[in-house]
Amino acid sequence: MATDGVEAQDLCSLLSESDRDFLVRNNGDQVKIDSLKGKKVGLYFSASWCGPCQRFTPTLIEAYNDISLQKGDFHIVFISADEDDESFNGYFSKMPWLAIPFSDSATRDTLDDLFKVGGIPHLVILDERGKVLNDGGVEIIREFGVEGYPFTPEKIKELKDQEMATRKDQTLGAVLVSPSRDFVVSNNGMKVLISELEGKTVALYFSLSSYRLCADFTAVLVEIYDKLKARKEKFEVVLVPLDDDEESFKQCFGSMPWLSLPFKDKSCEKLARYFELSTLPTLVIIGPNGKTLHPNAAEAIEQYAIEAYPFTTERFEELAEIERVRQKGQTLESILVSEDLDFVIDKSGEKVLVSDLVGKNILLYFSAHWCPPCRAFLPKLIEFYHKIKAKDESFELIFISSDRDQASFDEFFASMPWLALPFGDPRNFSLSRLFKVYGVPKSVAIDSTGKTVTTEAKDLITVHGAEAYPFTDERLKEIEAGYEKMAVGWPRKVKHAIHEDHELVLARERIYTCNRCEEEGNVWCFNCEECDFVLHPKCALEG
C-alpha cells in the first residue's frame, strides 16, 4: 500500500543535504546518491535499541543479499533512530547497505516526518522513479522474503492469490517443499524426500528448544510417537524449529526420534505465518490427503494422549462424548484411585485411604516449590483452609506436586496443613492431564458427590477468600449480589484531594493496591485509568 500524500521523490533531494550529496557504507566509503537513480530503494527506519529491529534486520539482510545476487537493482538506505554514534556504528557494522550519516539528524528527522514513521522497524520501498511502492516492507519481507520482489502491488496480490490457492487445494508437498528443498532431515543428517511422507498423517511441530512448555510437551509427544510407530501407524512428525541458536537446536533435535526442517530454513517463518501461529507448542495435523485436520492438536494430546489419534473431527467428537459420559459418572475414587494407588498421605507420611475422603468437599491444589507465584499464594490458601475447616469438617485439601525432587517436595509440603499425593506419584500426571493443568498454581474444587465444581478455584480464592466456598454457581451469584448491594448509593465519580487532576471513576478490579493506604483491595475501587491511580472505596469516599 502506498503512503498517502507522499508524491514521487527525487532521491537527491530526498536523501541529501546542502553540503552532502553522498551516503555512507559501514567501512566509511562514500557513495554518491546519484548512483541510486533508476534503482528500487528501501528506506529502512531502525535502531539498535529496538528489540523487534534486532530480530528483523538479519531477515532483511538475507533477503537483500538474495535479491542483490539475483537482480542487482535494489538498494537499502538505513535511517537510524539511535541516540549516539557508538550505537549507530555498532549496529550499522552488521549491515551490507548504505546509510544516512548519523551526523545528519536533520535529514533523518525530515524522513521520519515525511513517511509518517510511527514505529520501527519500518521499511518504505520506492520504485525507480522515487514513488512509494509500499510502506509495509517489513511485513512483505517477513511474509514473502525474496519472493516479494519487486514489491509491486501486483506481485503481492499474486503471492497472496497463490497462498489462497494453496489453502484451497493444499497438499503436503505444497506446504513443505520449497524452491531449493524437497526434503526434510533426520537427527543423523540423512535427507528424507517429502514425497515419501505422502499418504501419511503428518504432524508439524512448531517448537522453541529454550521454551520450557515446548520441552515438557516434547516428552509427551515422544511417548505417543514411539507407540504409534510400534503399531506401524502411517504417522510422522516434522519439527519446524524456531530457534536462533544452532547448538540449542542440535542438542534438542538430537533427542527427538522424528524428522525436521533444516535449521533456519526459510520455510519455518513462512509456515508459522501460513498456519497463523499464535502459541507454542503448536502441533498442526496434516491428513493423508494433504489437508489440515487440526490447527493445533497439542492441547488434545495433553488431554487424551494416544487416544487422540488419528486426530480427525470424528475422533474428537467421540472423545468429547466419552468425556461427557466420564464427567457424568465422575466420583472421587474414579479420579484419585489408580489400581493399587488408593491413598494420599498426611503430614506424618501416613496413608489416608481415598475411601475415607468420599463424601467430602475436596480442593486439589496443583503447585510446586520452584514456582514463585505458588509460594506467594500459599499463605492466602492456608488462611482459607483454616477458616473453612473451622466451620466445615467435611472439607479437605490435597497437594498435587510438580516439584522436581523429593527434597523440594518435602520442604514445601512441610509448610502445609493438609494432605498430599506422594512425590513422584503417577497420578500427578494423570490428574494434570484430566484437569488441563498447563500452569501452576491451580486449584480444582470437587464436591461431595465427586463432581467437578470448578477448575478456577485458585482465582476465586484470590478475589473472594473464604467467601468463595464451596465455589458453586449459587454461591458466586450470592457474592455478586452482595457486591452490587455494597455499591448502592456510592457516586459513580469522585474528586479527591490527593489526585486533583482527574475525577476518579467507580470500577471493578480483580485485585489492586490502594495508592492512599497501600493496602490490597479487590472488586470495587475508584480509579483513574489515565494516571494508573486507584483508591479503595473507603479511602476515596473519605475525601
Side-chain angles (χ1 to χ4, degrees):
M1 178 188 296
T3 304
D4 295 339
V6 179
E7 301 296 331
Q9 301 290 322
D10 174 71
L11 283 176
C12 288
S13 300
L14 186 69
L15 301 178
S16 67
E17 206 261 344
S18 58
D19 60 351
R20 180 184 56 77
D21 62 354
F22 60 86
L23 301 168
V24 295
R25 293 196 181 278
N26 57 22
N27 62 0
D29 288 351
Q30 296 179 359
V31 176
K32 293 287 187 180
I33 297 172
D34 273 347
S35 67
L36 300 184
K37 283 189 174 181
K39 307 286 181 64
K40 288 185 177 63
V41 175
L43 304 180
Y44 183 40
F45 299 83
S46 184
S48 63
W49 50 259
C50 166
C53 296
Q54 290 279 7
R55 292 190 289 274
F56 176 69
T57 295
T59 302
L60 182 59
I61 290 172
E62 184 177 8
Y64 173 80
N65 288 337
D66 285 347
I67 294 169
S68 298
L69 185 65
Q70 297 174 25
K71 309 294 181 181
D73 64 345
F74 178 58
H75 296 267
I76 292 177
V77 178
F78 172 39
I79 298 106
S80 174
D82 280 305
E83 298 169 356
D84 58 76
D85 270 305
E86 185 178 355
S87 298
F88 167 80
N89 290 329
Y91 191 35
F92 185 39
S93 69
K94 306 171 186 175
M95 299 176 180
W97 44 70
L98 305 168
I100 302 285
F102 183 75
S103 58
D104 190 358
S105 59
T107 299
R108 292 187 286 118
D109 290 344
T110 298
L111 291 169
D112 275 356
D113 292 339
L114 178 64
F115 292 103
K116 301 175 183 176
V117 179
I120 54 177
H122 188 71
L123 180 64
V124 178
I125 299 172
L126 308 178
D127 70 10
E128 293 84 351
R129 295 168 298 151
K131 184 176 177 60
V132 175
L133 273 176
N134 206 301
D135 67 351
V138 170
E139 289 72 28
I140 291 173
I141 295 296
R142 279 177 175 156
E143 291 185 15
F144 304 112
V146 67
E147 294 178 26
Y149 184 86
F151 312 117
T152 60
E154 294 77 15
K155 181 60 176 179
I156 303 309
K157 182 179 184 302
E158 176 189 334
L159 291 171
K160 290 187 175 180
D161 287 346
Q162 288 175 359
E163 185 174 291
M164 292 264 304
T166 298
R167 290 184 187 278
K168 184 178 179 182
D169 300 310
Q170 180 178 294
T171 64
L172 187 66
V175 169
L176 289 182
V177 173
S178 74
S180 61
R181 178 188 47 74
D182 62 356
F183 60 87
V184 288
V185 296
S186 64
N187 59 16
N188 62 5
M190 289 185 61
K191 295 179 180 180
V192 176
L193 293 176
I194 291 166
S195 59
E196 295 180 24
L197 305 182
E198 299 282 357
K200 293 184 177 182
T201 297
V202 176
L204 303 182
Y205 180 27
F206 293 84
S207 181
L208 181 63
S209 61
S210 60
Y211 188 38
R212 186 180 62 82
L213 290 181
C214 290
D216 292 345
F217 180 73
T218 295
V220 175
L221 187 58
V222 166
E223 181 179 355
I224 292 166
Y225 180 86
D226 288 342
K227 288 179 179 178
L228 290 174
K229 284 295 184 180
R231 282 166 34 177
K232 301 190 183 305
E233 299 285 356
K234 291 184 176 181
F235 175 71
E236 191 52 74
V237 174
V238 175
L239 177 68
V240 183
L242 304 177
D243 298 89
D244 289 323
D245 180 65
E246 188 168 8
E247 280 307 309
S248 297
F249 162 74
K250 287 179 177 178
Q251 183 176 358
C252 188
F253 183 42
S255 64
M256 295 176 176
W258 45 70
L259 306 171
S260 176
L261 292 181
F263 175 72
K264 282 288 189 180
D265 189 273
K266 294 177 183 178
S267 293
C268 294
E269 285 195 15
K270 184 177 179 181
L271 287 170
R273 180 184 56 81
Y274 180 83
F275 288 108
E276 300 176 351
L277 186 70
S278 61
T279 188
L280 291 176
T282 286
L283 195 74
V284 177
I285 306 296
I286 308 295
N289 61 357
K291 303 294 188 291
T292 301
L293 280 178
H294 201 289
N296 187 8
E299 183 176 326
I301 283 178
E302 290 275 13
Q303 183 175 2
Y304 299 115
I306 198 170
E307 296 302 316
Y309 185 80
F311 314 109
T312 59
T313 300
E314 295 75 16
R315 182 54 183 157
F316 285 121
E317 288 175 352
E318 291 173 1
L319 291 170
E321 179 58 30
I322 291 170
E323 178 63 14
R324 283 191 289 270
V325 172
R326 187 204 65 75
Q327 289 179 0
K328 188 175 180 180
Q330 178 178 297
T331 65
L332 188 65
E333 289 168 310
S334 72
I335 61 175
L336 280 183
V337 174
S338 175
E339 297 179 351
D340 59 341
L341 297 172
D342 60 353
F343 60 90
V344 295
I345 57 173
D346 64 17
K347 298 291 297 175
S348 65
E350 293 296 316
K351 294 180 180 180
V352 176
L353 293 177
V354 172
S355 57
D356 292 339
L357 302 176
V358 171
K360 293 188 175 186
N361 290 320
I362 303 293
L363 197 64
L364 303 178
Y365 177 46
F366 297 84
S367 185
H369 185 271
W370 52 259
C371 165
C374 296
R375 296 196 301 271
F377 178 63
L378 183 58
K380 193 175 190 75
L381 185 60
I382 290 173
E383 179 185 2
F384 168 88
Y385 178 80
H386 287 311
K387 284 182 178 179
I388 301 305
K389 286 293 281 186
K391 64 180 182 181
D392 184 4
E393 277 297 321
S394 67
F395 168 72
E396 195 48 78
L397 195 151
I398 302 171
F399 170 41
I400 315 292
S401 173
S402 296
D403 282 304
R404 294 161 182 160
D405 56 71
Q406 184 75 52
S408 298
F409 169 84
D410 291 342
E411 182 180 347
F412 205 32
F413 186 38
S415 63
M416 302 174 182
W418 42 69
L419 307 174
L421 285 186
F423 174 74
D425 193 298
R427 290 173 292 175
N428 290 9
F429 177 77
S430 61
L431 287 167
S432 294
R433 192 173 71 189
L434 175 64
F435 293 112
K436 302 179 182 178
V437 179
Y438 304 127
V440 291
K442 186 180 182 74
S443 293
V444 176
I446 308 295
D447 69 16
S448 59
T449 69
K451 303 295 188 296
T452 303
V453 179
T454 180
T455 59
E456 304 302 328
K458 182 263 177 183
D459 291 340
L460 294 174
I461 293 170
T462 299
V463 176
H464 307 300
E467 294 297 312
Y469 184 78
F471 310 107
T472 59
D473 289 340
E474 293 76 12
R475 180 58 192 144
L476 297 181
K477 288 176 182 176
E478 290 172 1
I479 292 172
E480 181 62 28
Y483 289 141
E484 291 298 323
K485 185 177 180 181
M486 182 192 304
V488 171
W490 287 355
R492 301 296 100 178
K493 297 180 180 180
V494 299
K495 291 284 288 184
H496 199 281
I498 64 172
H499 191 76
E500 295 180 338
D501 292 344
H502 307 101
E503 286 186 307
L504 303 176
V505 179
L506 181 65
R508 296 284 291 266
E509 289 287 345
R510 181 172 172 270
I511 221 163
Y512 62 89
T513 299
C514 177
N515 284 95
R516 184 180 185 188
C517 67
E518 298 185 351
E519 293 181 2
E520 186 180 280
N522 59 64
V523 187
W524 288 116
C525 68
F526 283 87
N527 76 356
C528 173
E529 289 189 1
E530 185 173 345
C531 301
D532 193 25
F533 183 90
V534 61
L535 294 180
H536 280 138
K538 63 181 178 65
C539 291
L541 297 175
E542 284 174 0

